[in-house]
Amino acid sequence: MRLGASLALAWRSIRGHKLRSTLTTLGIVIGIAAVIAFVTLGASLQAGVIGDISPDDQRNSYGWASDPDTEGGPLAGAQPVFSEDDLETLSDDEDIDAAYGYMPISTQALVYEDELSPQSDALVAAGPTYIRDDTLEEGRQFEQGEREAVVNPAVAGQFEEDLETGDELTVALQGGEQTSVTVVGITETSEGLSPFEGFEPSPRVYVPTDPYYTEDAAGELPGGEAGGDGDAGGGEGTEGDEATDENAGANGSEDDQAMADARFLAIVVEAESADEEAIDRAQESATTYLESEDSDAGELLDDDLEVTLQTSTELLQQLEDVLGLLQNFIVGIAALSLLVGSIGIANIMLVSVTERTREIGIMKAVGAQNREILGLFLAEAVILGVVGAIIGTILGLAAGYLGVWYIDLPLVYPYEYVALAIVVGVLVGILSGLYPAWRAARTDPIDALRYE
C-alpha cells in the first residue's frame, strides 16, 4: 500500500469520528497553545524592556549600598551614603566620564494654575544626563544649579490644562515646604528612565540634585536651615533681596554645608564608552574608591553594607532569569498536557484497532502486509498529533498576539517554537500510535475474520 493511500485511509477514519478525534487532540492543542502563547509574551516583553536601553544608557552603571544578603531589585535595602565630594572625585577619575547622584524625594502634591494634584514620590533628583536626548518629546535637559525640571506625560496631562515647556510648577514636599520649578522638557513616555524607577508608567518630575535635593536634605538635617522654601533659598528667586553681603555670605555658607551634608541614595557612573572593558574599568575604579577610607561613603560602610554597581543590561538579566524560570514552569505544565494528549491518542488508537479487527482481517486476506497495516494505523496517530500541533500553534500565536496587544509591547513571534511544536506533534503521534499499530499489524487474519 502506498503512503498516499495509507494517509487517505487514515484521514477518512479520522473524519468518520470527528468528535472523538477532536477530544483526542485536545490535550495536545492545550499544551502547545500554552507554550507558544507564553513564549511569545516572554520574547515580546524581553524585546520591549531591552529596547528601552539606549546606546547612551548602555555605558551607565547604577550603584547603591545595601546589605549583600538583601533580596530584591535595584535599590532594595539601599542606604544614603554617597556624598557630593564622592561624586566629584569619581568624576575626576580618568576611567569615569561622569558621576552624579540619584535621590527620590517624597512629595505631597503638585500645583499648577491653582489646581492641586496629590502625588507622593513624584520628584526625582539626578544629574542632567539622566535625561537622555532620545527620551525627550520636546524641550531639553535641565541644568545643574538651575530651578528647572523635566516632566513626563503623566504629569503634563494630569491638569485641566496640559503643562508645556516654560510653565511654572509648584511642588509641595513632605513637611509642608513648597518649591517651584520651570518646566524645560517633557519626556516621550511615562515609563521609568532607568532600572531605579522600574518600568511601570508613573507621574515623575525630574529635577537637578543642586539645588533641589541639597536644600531638601539641609532642611531634614539637625540644625539645617537652608532647605524648604525654594523661592527664598536662592537662584532666580533672590531678585531684589540683596539686604547685606553678610546675609548672602551666610546663605552661601549654609548652601555649601548642605551640599556637603547631603547623602545620595544611589549614584550613576558613566563609563567613557559602552565597551565592556571601559565599563569594567569604570565600575572597578568607582568601587575601589567608594569602599576606601578616602571616601565619605567608606566611612559609613561596614560589614552590613556593600556597594553594588550594575549596568542596565546586568540588572535586566535578573528579569530575564525570572522570565526563564516562569517559562520553564509553563513548559513543564504543558509537557504534562502533552503527556495526557499522547495517552489519549494511544487509547483511541487501541479502541480503533479493536473496532476494526475484522477490517484488518479482510485487508490481510486480500494480501495486505504487516508493514502496511502498521503504516496505516501509525499514519492515523501521526495525523492526530500534527493536526493538534497546528491548531495549538494557531491558538497560541493568537493568544500571544492578544496578550502583547493588551500590554502594549512590541510583537515578537518565536518561530523556532512553531517548528518545534510541529516536531512535538509528530513525535507524540508516532510514540502514542506505535504500540496500537504494532498490535494491529500482529493480528492473526483468521482470528480477525472470526471477530464479531
Side-chain angles (χ1 to χ4, degrees):
M1 187 183 298
R2 292 178 299 178
L3 178 62
S6 297
L7 292 174
L9 285 173
W11 182 245
R12 188 175 65 183
S13 175
I14 292 173
R15 291 186 60 188
H17 304 84
K18 292 180 181 177
L19 180 60
R20 187 176 71 181
S21 300
T22 301
L23 295 175
T24 301
T25 58
L26 201 55
I28 297 176
V29 171
I30 293 174
I32 290 181
V35 172
I36 296 293
F38 192 80
V39 170
T40 300
L41 287 173
S44 300
L45 179 60
Q46 184 175 346
V49 172
I50 293 179
D52 289 337
I53 304 177
S54 69
D56 286 339
D57 190 32
Q58 290 176 8
R59 65 192 181 115
N60 290 352
S61 292
Y62 298 89
W64 66 96
S66 64
D67 188 330
D69 295 330
T70 302
E71 297 182 355
L75 297 185
Q79 301 297 322
V81 300
F82 308 105
S83 71
E84 188 65 28
D85 286 342
D86 290 340
L87 300 175
E88 290 177 359
T89 303
L90 291 178
S91 297
D92 293 336
D93 193 291
E94 61 180 5
D95 293 326
I96 297 174
D97 192 47
Y100 55 85
Y102 174 92
M103 190 74 192
I105 302 175
S106 298
T107 57
Q108 289 185 339
L110 303 177
V111 184
Y112 174 61
E113 297 287 350
D114 296 328
E115 185 181 353
L116 186 144
S117 175
Q119 292 291 338
S120 62
D121 300 327
L123 209 59
V124 174
T129 54
Y130 187 76
I131 311 296
R132 300 179 297 277
D133 289 335
D134 60 350
T135 63
L136 287 172
E137 178 68 23
E138 61 178 283
R140 58 172 174 81
Q141 300 168 319
F142 56 71
E143 295 181 5
Q144 199 73 273
E146 299 294 332
R147 295 191 167 278
E148 298 176 340
V150 173
V151 301
N152 64 10
V155 169
Q158 69 180 234
F159 300 100
E160 184 174 345
E161 184 177 346
D162 289 350
L163 271 173
E164 296 179 353
T165 55
D167 290 341
E168 292 288 329
L169 180 68
T170 300
V171 181
L173 304 173
Q174 290 288 349
E177 299 90 351
Q178 292 189 359
T179 187
S180 61
V181 295
T182 301
V183 177
V184 296
I186 299 176
T187 59
E188 193 173 18
T189 73
S190 296
E191 298 176 354
L193 299 182
S194 79
F196 285 157
E197 303 175 39
F199 300 98
E200 292 295 325
S202 181
R204 294 184 182 92
V205 178
Y206 301 99
V207 294
T209 54
D210 175 22
Y212 291 101
Y213 175 60
T214 53
E215 289 189 2
D216 180 68
E220 297 296 330
L221 290 170
E225 297 177 355
D229 189 356
D231 293 333
E236 306 292 336
T238 57
E239 182 179 358
D241 188 18
E242 299 176 354
T244 61
D245 292 340
E246 182 178 352
N247 288 340
N251 289 336
S253 176
E254 291 173 352
D255 290 344
D256 292 342
Q257 185 60 42
M259 180 77 76
D261 291 337
R263 297 293 176 126
F264 296 95
L265 188 67
I267 59 173
V268 181
V269 176
E270 297 181 359
E272 294 176 314
S273 70
D275 183 71
E276 189 173 344
E277 293 183 358
I279 293 174
D280 290 342
R281 287 198 303 271
Q283 289 186 352
E284 185 176 351
S285 297
T287 304
T288 301
Y289 170 72
L290 292 172
E291 293 183 343
S292 71
E293 295 180 353
D294 296 333
S295 69
D296 293 333
E299 297 176 357
L300 299 177
L301 296 178
D302 52 28
D303 294 338
D304 295 331
L305 289 178
E306 184 176 289
V307 174
T308 300
L309 279 168
Q310 292 184 323
T311 63
S312 292
T313 304
E314 291 170 336
L315 290 167
L316 291 175
Q317 184 63 46
Q318 299 174 1
L319 176 62
E320 291 184 37
D321 292 343
V322 173
L323 287 176
L325 289 175
L326 287 174
Q327 182 172 308
N328 292 336
F329 179 72
I330 296 297
V331 169
I333 295 176
L336 292 176
S337 179
L338 291 174
L339 177 62
V340 172
S342 64
I343 293 175
I345 291 179
N347 183 45
I348 291 303
M349 292 307 301
L350 286 172
V351 172
S352 180
V353 169
T354 303
E355 288 179 345
R356 296 158 64 185
T357 300
R358 187 174 181 82
E359 180 184 340
I360 294 171
I362 295 174
M363 293 174 67
K364 285 196 170 184
V366 298
Q369 303 294 316
N370 285 350
R371 65 174 183 276
E372 293 171 335
I373 302 298
L374 180 74
L376 176 63
F377 283 88
L378 203 55
E380 190 171 330
V382 170
I383 288 175
L384 286 174
V386 171
V387 170
I390 292 174
I391 295 175
T393 300
I394 294 173
L395 289 178
L397 293 176
Y401 171 79
L402 291 175
V404 168
W405 170 77
Y406 182 75
I407 305 175
D408 192 20
L409 291 172
L411 179 63
V412 177
Y413 275 136
Y415 293 109
E416 64 275 17
Y417 276 84
V418 174
L420 183 62
I422 303 299
V423 172
V424 168
V426 173
L427 289 177
V428 167
I430 292 175
L431 295 176
S432 60
L434 204 55
Y435 173 70
W438 174 81
R439 184 176 170 181
R442 299 280 296 176
T443 303
D444 185 83
I446 303 299
D447 294 338
L449 289 172
R450 291 175 178 171
Y451 185 81
E452 295 293 338

